[in-house]
Amino acid sequence: MSRDRDQKPVMPRPSGTFPPSEAMLAEPVPDEVQRVQQERLRKAWATPKGWRYWSAVNNSEVGVWYSTTALFFMLAAGVMALLIRLQLAVPENDLIPADRFNQLFTMHGSAMMFLFAVPMFEAISIIILPALLGARDMPFPRLSAFGYWSFLIGGVFVIGSILFDAAPNSGWFMYPPLATKAEGVGSDIWLLGLSFIEIASIAAAVELIVGTLKCRPPGMRVNIMPLYAWYVMVVGGMILFAFPPLIAGDFLFELERSFDWPFFDPERGGDPMLWQHLFWIFGHPEVYIVFLPSIAIAAMIIPTVARRPIVGYSWIVLSAVGTGFLSFGLWVHHMFTTGLPSISLGFFSAASEAVVIPTGIQLFAFLATLMIGRVTMTLPMLWIAGALAVFTMGGLTGVMLAMAPFDFQAHDSYFVVAHLHYTLFGGMIFPVIAGVYYFYPFIRKKKLSERLGRWSFWLIFVGFNVTFLPMHLTGLKGMPRRIYTYPEGIGWDWLNMISTIGAFVIAAGFAVFVWDLFRPKRGQGQVARNPWQAGTLEWSHEIPEEAWGVRSIPHVTSRYPLWDQPQIVERMDAGRYYLPDAEEGKRETLITSVIDAEPLQVQRVTGPAWITHAAAIFTGGTFIFPTFHVYPPAIVCGVLAVACILYWLWTSTARPPEADSKDVGLGLRLPTYASGPASAGWWAMWITMLGDATAFASVIFGFFFYWTARPDFPPDGAAHAEPLLVAIAAGAMAASWALTLWARGANRRGAVSLARGALVAAPLLAGVGGIGLIGSVWTLEPTSHVYPAILWALAIWVVVHTGVGVIMQVYCLAGSIFGKMTPRYDADIWNVSLFWHFHVLSAVVACAVMGFAPGVL
Amino acid sequence: MSEDRQKTRDGEVEEFAEEQASLWRITLSPLAWAAHFVICYGLVALSCAKGLPVESVRQGLIVFSVVVLALIGWIGWRAWRQWDVRETGDYLNQQGKAEDRHRFLGHAAFLLSIISFIGVVFVSLPLLLLEGCG
Ligand code: HEM
Ligand SMILES: [Cu+2]
């Protein structure tokens, strides 16, 4: 152990044999050794008992909480749907007053999309991804736990508002001016509550992406990773680019709600269309963010039931990646009726038709697999079959709607409601339930009932069609969506009655399903270890359950290791593979290379903690207090949240290890510490910043959008940002960035005091930059017109990021002084300089826009 | 493909050395599609809003589309070479070997080029079929 200021550190590299030879693998492990190793592993990974259970961070616990919570929100949103249907069952009904009705459909849609669909994907992935990859856990378990607690707090806050008659009521896409002018706190709850959850979603997405890139088992190259992992990567990437525009939109929207900055108010130069763009740049990819994970579940179930490898692996990868891209070129098809130029509409109509191709390819690959294989109609397969049928129908009506002239007719009618539920049930509900039936033996080590499963399938399937098939007709007969009642005798009555009856049949089906999930299953005995005879690694799980994930991390050489590598499970169990032990009693997992999964490092992962709860509570406070326009407590919460997060990072991430490298088994020795691109933390920073940069780009987009869309931007004779101060700000930021970078090099060279000097100067310069930027807009009046308002918004954005950057620089300085960061163990400053690369770029762009705009426009 | 061509750490075959960049490379064609899409949409919106000569913008964009198509074609051709299915006869590339990974990435990039090509053709159609800002 060397914690002194060693000059010129020598970085240990992986050494020894890889890949392992058959002879090495065949060598038995003595029983006594196995027993001792098991003992130690069990202790290191033990789930806390009693009330401490809730401090667990293990992916198997957090994932189950996460998915149960998302299911609960889904059921709540379902109850709202039933109320909606009750109100619409008969004409001129007065069961629910108009405003309540508005709250109900807004909340139904918002909760289904934000509190159920996306979190459910992340929850299921948190549970199964590490197992699919033979990893012990996610790379950052405390981050998952933090994400979960944030989701819980934010979700309860948002959905609970309906009980207090305070829920948002402007529809799930919150169009201004309706939503900006709405009375009460409903819109604020939507904006701030959901922003909070979106940030948690992004955090989970970052973790999932890093998990697939860096935590695969040795030997699992990209061409043999499970298709599910490909989908996780694609969907994670989409979340990263789709959510930030919405967050940027929320940011502007909330500034308008709270401080009357007129971003969407046409009278003062704003434009409601900007919101529509930002919302749908998020909103359409969102549809695919919801849909692709379900396809991923199908891609796991289908080979198993067909008893053969999937047909067209590369084709499916192509369609996943292709859909991911194309789905970003569709957003304007939600805005066909807003009077955009017809060529523009043409682009989006064309792209909307093009996206059908990759979607179709996936379905055909599945059908081909099923046709070639020997299919057994298991329960999961039944649900998948239902999904294919329903989704195909939704796809057909979707192709119809993608043609702009048809959409002009059907827009905002019940035809659209029918279409969207066909795609959502076929593309999400049915496959997810299939996944629950399929993975339940893995998750709970019990089986669900075959009989109840068939009952609930037929109830939901029939009920669904009874509810939504007639709605196509209701829509074509002219019934608009979002109306709380309708007059008698225009041909809508009986159609609505049928839909309502169907809705209750769906509800009965869900009741059966949920009962089956939670009913006690004591008498059942143990399930078989691999009940479906599947080929992927998650079915090497242990029964009875062990918290360590995998006993030892296997060397994988095939897409279906359990089918093709006959002794793999036996050897995993015996601890023949990597990391079979926890000598230091710490939790560890393997980090491998991105493309070829060559072992690179042993990573310490974090254990149970309460700090994540504190961090989540205070972060929640930071978002929740401003909804009621009380700011001092929000600021206090913000400060405390930052303090909690710093404490958590300081005490448990990138600590200098006891020894530089360790033996991981099979004659391989790996370093225990990595910094820069070799480390998981650096990748997490990189990916997070990509999302952050997207949000920033969206605000910049807003600036140019106003310029193209509005003749009075900037208005004649408007005051501009003070150019000299803008220039000073840009220069100071650039200098601070350069110093940070230089400090990294100096520290690595062993010039520790020089590095510290630079880390003292850098935050000061950054401070000068921040003050300069605020000063440059100080005299502008943001409530008067959108031009000063957006300059202010840009300045705020950059200054807040500068604050984060300064905290990071000081964190490194403290690390250097207190021995957390040394020339050898310098992951922190690598991550911080990465942040600063992005930050300096956005600061310079913002300054350029603010400084040059008056001259150029 | 029966003999084991699994590489070892020292005996790395240069050609199949870990391609750090290759995961990004498979996204090149879709990125070209995305850039084309954004530029078409942005320029048309801009010229309609600011009263620029839409007709010449439209013609310029048609030329631009052809260039992008050529670019994607070129990326696709290189990917086809990397996949090399005519030489190896292996459509699946399903083994845990460096060579399979190399060919698989070629295959995926090739397929993505096809879909991006179609995407660009689709998006260019309005440029050919519609005129003016309407
Ligand atoms: C029990 C099953 C369900 C029933 C009976 C149902 C019923 C309805 C009805 C009647 C509306 C139209 C309200 C109106 O325009 O006045 C609606 C809207 C909507 N539903 Fe559902 N729904 C169900 C499940 C779902 C699911 C599973 C999702 C998504 C995962 C979903 C997402 C939406 C969305 C996004 C809207 C639009 C809300 C808005 O207009 O702002 N629904 N639903
Ligand atoms: Cu859409």
Side-chain angles (χ1 to χ4, degrees), chain B residues 35-53:
Chain B
H36 172 257
F37 184 86
V38 168
I39 290 173
C40 286
Y41 169 64
L43 270 186
V44 168
L46 191 71
S47 41
C48 285
K50 293 287 172 192
L52 305 180

Side-chain angles (χ1 to χ4, degrees), chain A residues 74-75 77-85 88 101-102 104-114 116-118 170-174 290 412-414 416-418 420-421 423-425 428-429 460 463-464 467-468 471 479-484 496 499-500 502-504 506-507 510:
Chain A
M74 188 262 162
L75 294 175
V79 170
M80 295 176 206
L82 292 182
L83 291 174
I84 294 175
R85 284 312 328 165
L88 293 177
F101 187 87
N102 295 345
L104 282 173
F105 72 70
T106 303
M107 209 44 159
H108 165 74
S110 307
M112 285 291 188
M113 299 309 262
F114 293 99
F116 166 62
V118 177
S170 318
W172 85 283
F173 33 76
M174 297 289 288
V290 168
D412 263 345
S413 78
Y414 260 80
V416 173
V417 177
L420 81 96
H421 286 87
T423 46
L424 285 169
F425 266 79
M428 159 93 200
I429 299 284
I460 295 184
F464 173 76
T467 314
F468 291 99
M471 275 189 200
M479 176 156 164
R481 66 196 279 199
R482 299 179 174 172
I483 51 167
Y484 84 106
N496 273 300
S499 289
T500 301
F504 280 85
I506 303 180
F510 269 106

Side-chain angles (χ1 to χ4, degrees), chain A residues 523-770:
Chain A
Q524 200 185 71
Q526 281 184 2
V527 284
R529 195 166 174 186
N530 185 357
W532 317 105
Q533 272 99 48
T536 37
L537 273 181
E538 75 275 26
W539 298 105
S540 69
H541 67 144
E542 260 139 311
I543 293 181
E545 183 163 15
E546 294 281 7
W548 57 48
V550 283
R551 172 69 180 80
S552 59
I553 299 175
H555 177 241
V556 173
T557 55
S558 141
R559 283 181 190 160
Y560 299 93
L562 301 201
W563 289 345
D564 302 339
Q565 294 177 247
Q567 284 167 307
I568 192 170
V569 177
E570 198 181 302
R571 288 173 177 171
M572 284 168 77
D573 287 352
R576 181 64 277 175
Y577 286 112
Y578 296 106
L579 278 185
D581 201 347
E583 289 100 341
E584 298 89 9
K586 299 262 172 66
R587 299 183 174 197
E588 291 163 332
T589 195
L590 276 190
I591 299 291
T592 53
S593 67
V594 171
I595 304 279
D596 279 340
E598 296 203 9
L600 290 180
Q601 185 212 341
V602 178
Q603 156 124 337
R604 287 277 154 80
V605 293
T606 42
W610 294 108
I611 189 71
T612 43
H613 302 63
I617 289 173
F618 292 128
T619 315
T622 318
F623 281 91
I624 290 172
F625 283 113
T627 41
F628 305 103
H629 304 283
V630 286
Y631 299 101
I635 293 170
V636 173
C637 280
V639 172
L640 289 172
V642 171
C644 288
I645 292 171
L646 284 177
Y647 174 81
W648 152 21
L649 292 175
W650 181 272
T651 51
S652 67
T653 62
R655 305 288 311 175
E658 302 88 22
D660 262 352
S661 62
K662 77 179 270 180
D663 191 3
V664 295
L666 291 173
L668 187 64
R669 220 184 152 73
L670 293 180
T672 47
Y673 189 95
S675 53
S679 74
W682 187 89
W683 281 83
M685 178 63 89
W686 208 98
I687 295 168
T688 312
M689 292 317 291
L690 219 50
D692 188 65
T694 312
F696 175 73
S698 309
V699 181
I700 296 284
F701 168 78
F703 185 94
F704 287 100
F705 178 84
Y706 289 127
W707 175 60
T708 50
R710 305 282 313 189
D712 58 344
F713 186 90
D716 295 332
H720 299 291
E722 173 59 43
L724 182 63
L725 287 174
V726 173
I728 291 177
M733 294 291 184
S736 180
W737 162 75
L739 275 176
T740 312
L741 211 60
W742 188 80
R744 186 183 83 193
N747 179 62
R748 183 52 78 85
R749 284 197 313 275
V752 174
S753 356
L754 283 179
R756 288 183 194 161
L759 285 173
V760 172
L764 293 176
L765 277 168
V768 170

Side-chain angles (χ1 to χ4, degrees), chain B residues 26 79-80 82-83 101-111:
Chain B
I26 72 170
W80 165 259
Q82 182 180 344
W83 181 24
R101 184 261 298 133
H102 178 76
R103 306 243 178 273
F104 162 79
L105 287 174
H107 189 187
F110 173 67
L111 293 173

